[in-house]
Amino acid sequence: MKRLLLLLLLLVLSYSLEAQTTKIWVVRHAEKNLDNSSDKDPALTSAGEERALALAKYLKGEKMAALFSTDYKRTKGTLAPLAAAQNLPIHLYKSTAYQALADTILNTYKGKNIVICGHSNRLLGIIAAFNAKSNIKEITEDEYSHIFLIELDGDRVKLEEGHYGKL
């Protein structure tokens, strides 16, 4: 009887530890309108809107706990279809505050699924704030399809790099 109880306890404990994996998808905003070079906050193009829909479709099977975006039309627009599909608000973060963002997620959303939308020159810094290391050295201004999945489980950090939408 003691063995059975111990086995049951170990199973419950292993399940609760498994449930603590935090998954964080990091994406760049979708294609932005470049028609007006003086516009510092351009909206998405039609291709960008299609990519935003592709992101929602790509993540359809994942239940998100929170969505994070910088305070720009293009980043919020990229997350808008996903936010609508999952009935979630979009939380704003400061684009250069990588560690503050990571700390907020690690302290508030442990064991949950999160999406962060940022900018080409900021994504690798966000990834590094979670102690993950990308093989990509730079994301250029014309690259929009990258998607990174950071999985955190205790001290284990795993990074997967992929693409979504049209390449």
Side-chain angles (χ1 to χ4, degrees):
M1 184 65 158
K2 285 184 181 181
R3 281 187 159 172
L4 184 59
L5 195 55
L6 182 61
L7 181 60
L8 186 60
L9 181 63
L10 287 174
L11 284 172
V12 169
L13 182 61
S14 70
Y15 176 77
S16 66
L17 290 175
E18 183 179 304
Q20 292 302 308
T21 299
T22 305
K23 292 182 178 181
I24 304 153
W25 285 266
V26 181
V27 297
R28 182 193 177 190
H29 62 76
E31 289 85 342
K32 62 184 176 182
N33 188 329
L34 297 172
D35 291 344
N36 180 355
S37 61
S38 66
D39 186 358
K40 300 297 183 203
D41 190 14
L44 296 177
T45 62
S46 59
E49 291 171 358
E50 286 180 34
R51 185 173 304 282
L53 290 170
L55 178 63
K57 185 176 179 181
Y58 184 91
L59 295 172
K60 184 178 182 179
E62 303 289 344
K63 176 66 178 135
M64 296 302 159
L67 308 175
F68 288 87
S69 169
T70 58
D71 195 12
Y72 289 91
K73 292 176 192 171
R74 58 194 177 271
T75 49
K76 292 184 286 188
T78 301
L79 291 180
L82 182 61
Q86 299 216 5
N87 196 28
L88 288 172
I90 297 173
H91 301 284
L92 300 180
Y93 72 93
K94 185 177 177 188
S95 68
T96 57
Y98 311 136
Q99 198 58 56
L101 175 63
D103 291 345
T104 295
I105 290 169
L106 294 173
N107 292 325
T108 309
Y109 298 101
K110 184 176 182 179
K112 307 233 187 263
N113 294 340
I114 309 298
V115 178
I116 302 169
C117 185
H119 305 271
S120 61
N121 60 343
R122 306 285 188 218
L123 296 187
L124 298 177
I126 292 168
I127 291 165
F130 290 100
N131 293 319
K133 185 168 177 134
S134 175
N135 293 320
I136 297 171
K137 301 298 179 213
E138 177 186 19
I139 298 171
T140 64
E141 271 296 305
D142 61 349
E143 293 180 281
Y144 295 96
S145 66
H146 290 286
I147 188 164
F148 302 88
L149 171 57
I150 304 166
E151 292 184 83
L152 305 170
D153 188 1
D155 291 337
R156 185 181 66 82
V157 179
K158 179 181 171 188
L159 177 68
E160 293 179 22
E161 300 171 348
H163 295 273
Y164 76 100
K166 292 182 181 177
L167 296 180

